[in-house]
Amino acid sequence: MDGISELKTRYLAAIADASDEAGLEAVRLAALGKKGEVSALMRGLGAMPADERQVAGPALNGLRDELAGALAEARARLADSALDARLAAEWADVTLAPRPEREGTIHPVSQVMEEVAAIFADLGFAVAEGPQVESDWYNFDALNIPAEHPARQDHDTFYMARAEGDNRPPHVLRTHTSPVQIRAMEAQGVPIRVIAPGRVYRADYDQTHTPMFHQVEGLCIDRDVSMANLKWVLEEFCRAFFEVDGVELKFRASHFPFTEPSAEVDIRCSWAGGQLKIGEGDSWLEILGSGMVHPKVLAAAGVDPEKWQGFAFGMGIDRIAMLKYGIPDLRSFFESDLRWLRHYGFAALDLPTLVAGLSR
């Protein structure tokens, strides 16, 4: 038993003196490893007489358990010391201001949609929405667009694929937001005053055209609406949008299947020094199409053209964004990064979203 007491005293002292994990592991192997002193004594229990084994067995088991407990406590102590040292070396001053983060920016198309919706809201127009995949009826027939019109050809319009044997009427990616006007009149009836902003699709791609772009169309139907009301609405919109008081518009006779009479609208501008300025100069720039709603369009929407009349207009949101912010290439809208956006002055939007989801 004196030998066991001596082992206990020696190994407990060695455990207490161990200064790191490696030293502690060396003590464990020397005492409790396969070739350790305590392990060797326990393997010799079988060769002892029964009376000696009854005394030595419990004593060795107690020694083994006591040393294992001391080793565990020492490991915990060393881990705490290592953590304290790390905390002392790796401290952070939480009172320092955080690093500044670059904010995202609103896309020009989204910003212009917000501006357009806000301006027309002041003029009494609500926002109407419709599906981007449209039936042939809403996209063409209800708008008095004849079967031979170029817009109904595959090279101008994206037609949805049909399975062989599926003879349902064709569906298209809408080529304009005018179908929303039909749907709004069917759903709300007349009188009505709405704008329809959103994505549209055409098979075209160059500096001023992209396969997917954005339009806003306006519709006003009442009993005594005239071209004079149309002219006033468009002038008020252009004043507010381009932030110029002296806006001058010119209406040129044109032809659209869904309006009669129809007019292209030009705005007075100048290109002095290669920079566009709205409301001054001797040049004219086309910005939109407009006219009085064709009686056949009213009838297709279930409105009596003998009692009701109104005007409609449509413009490209991407186009007026280019004009207002001096962006030279329409394709830049879809290939831009944050540096490009900041170059043109677009920052995070602070105002509530008026047309959420339409351009995002």
Side-chain angles (χ1 to χ4, degrees):
M1 295 299 295
D2 292 338
I4 293 177
S5 296
E6 188 273 332
L7 285 175
K8 175 180 176 181
T9 301
R10 177 157 49 89
Y11 280 115
L12 286 178
I15 291 171
D17 292 339
S19 60
D20 54 31
E21 281 284 344
L24 199 62
E25 180 64 9
V27 175
R28 185 191 72 80
L29 291 174
L32 303 178
K34 287 184 177 181
K35 298 181 180 180
E37 288 188 76
V38 177
S39 300
L41 290 174
M42 295 192 71
R43 285 195 299 271
L45 287 173
M48 291 182 180
D51 55 342
E52 294 181 12
R53 186 169 58 247
Q54 289 178 353
V55 175
L60 287 172
N61 282 326
L63 174 61
R64 182 189 59 188
D65 293 342
E66 187 172 355
L67 293 180
L71 286 167
E73 290 179 3
R75 286 195 186 92
R77 182 184 71 250
L78 290 174
D80 290 342
S81 297
L83 179 60
D84 291 340
R86 184 178 175 185
L87 291 174
E90 300 178 7
W91 63 279
D93 186 350
V94 296
T95 65
L96 291 176
R99 293 185 180 93
E101 294 186 3
R102 300 290 292 274
E103 290 185 344
T105 62
I106 185 170
H107 194 276
V109 171
S110 300
Q111 178 164 315
V112 169
M113 276 194 170
E114 298 285 344
E115 295 174 6
V116 169
I119 293 169
F120 279 111
D122 288 341
L123 297 174
F125 286 78
V127 174
E129 298 181 71
Q132 296 180 42
V133 177
E134 267 294 7
S135 69
D136 206 45
W137 161 257
Y138 282 106
N139 199 77
F140 296 121
D141 294 329
L143 295 166
N144 195 38
I145 299 175
E148 68 276 6
H149 195 281
R152 303 186 77 151
Q153 305 304 311
D154 289 345
H155 58 75
D156 275 353
T157 298
F158 295 105
Y159 280 84
M160 308 302 291
R162 289 281 192 220
E164 186 175 353
D166 188 342
N167 297 318
R168 289 179 297 166
H171 279 68
V172 301
L173 294 180
R174 66 183 182 189
T175 58
H176 44 190
T177 54
S178 299
V180 180
Q181 299 178 13
I182 303 295
R183 292 181 176 274
M185 284 189 284
E186 288 180 340
Q188 302 177 31
V190 289
I192 190 172
R193 195 183 303 178
V194 295
I195 60 167
R199 294 186 183 98
V200 297
Y201 307 85
R202 295 181 191 174
D204 207 351
Y205 189 65
D206 58 33
Q207 186 173 359
T208 57
H209 300 85
T210 56
M212 187 278 288
F213 56 103
H214 303 81
Q215 278 189 343
V216 59
E217 310 224 4
L219 175 71
C220 177
I221 304 295
D222 212 318
R223 296 190 181 274
D224 298 310
V225 175
S226 68
M227 288 287 287
N229 302 120
L230 168 64
K231 183 174 183 292
W232 179 85
V233 166
L234 294 178
E235 286 177 345
E236 291 300 306
F237 168 76
C238 289
R239 285 193 186 97
F241 181 75
F242 291 109
E243 302 177 25
V244 174
D245 291 332
V247 167
E248 186 175 351
L249 300 180
K250 179 170 66 176
F251 286 69
R252 290 182 289 106
S254 186
H255 170 72
F256 304 113
F258 30 81
T259 53
E260 181 60 40
S262 303
E264 302 275 8
V265 180
D266 302 334
I267 191 167
R268 183 182 289 279
C269 65
S270 73
W271 294 94
Q275 183 177 3
L276 175 66
K277 293 185 178 180
I278 300 294
E280 60 181 62
D282 298 322
S283 298
W284 295 90
L285 181 67
E286 178 187 324
I287 58 169
L288 60 92
S290 65
M292 298 299 290
V293 179
H294 199 290
K296 289 185 178 180
V297 174
L298 293 173
V303 177
D304 186 352
E306 297 295 327
K307 298 179 180 179
W308 303 92
Q309 63 186 34
F311 62 78
F313 57 86
M315 68 186 83
I317 290 177
D318 315 74
R319 177 171 173 76
I320 61 174
M322 292 172 67
L323 297 178
K324 181 171 182 176
Y325 295 104
I327 300 169
D329 192 324
L330 183 62
R331 292 169 292 190
S332 299
F333 286 129
F334 307 100
E335 301 167 357
S336 57
D337 59 19
L338 288 179
R339 293 169 298 175
W340 180 88
L341 292 170
R342 293 191 182 99
H343 172 74
Y344 287 101
F346 293 95
L349 183 66
D350 296 326
L351 301 176
T353 298
L354 296 171
V355 283
L358 290 174
S359 65
R360 298 173 175 80

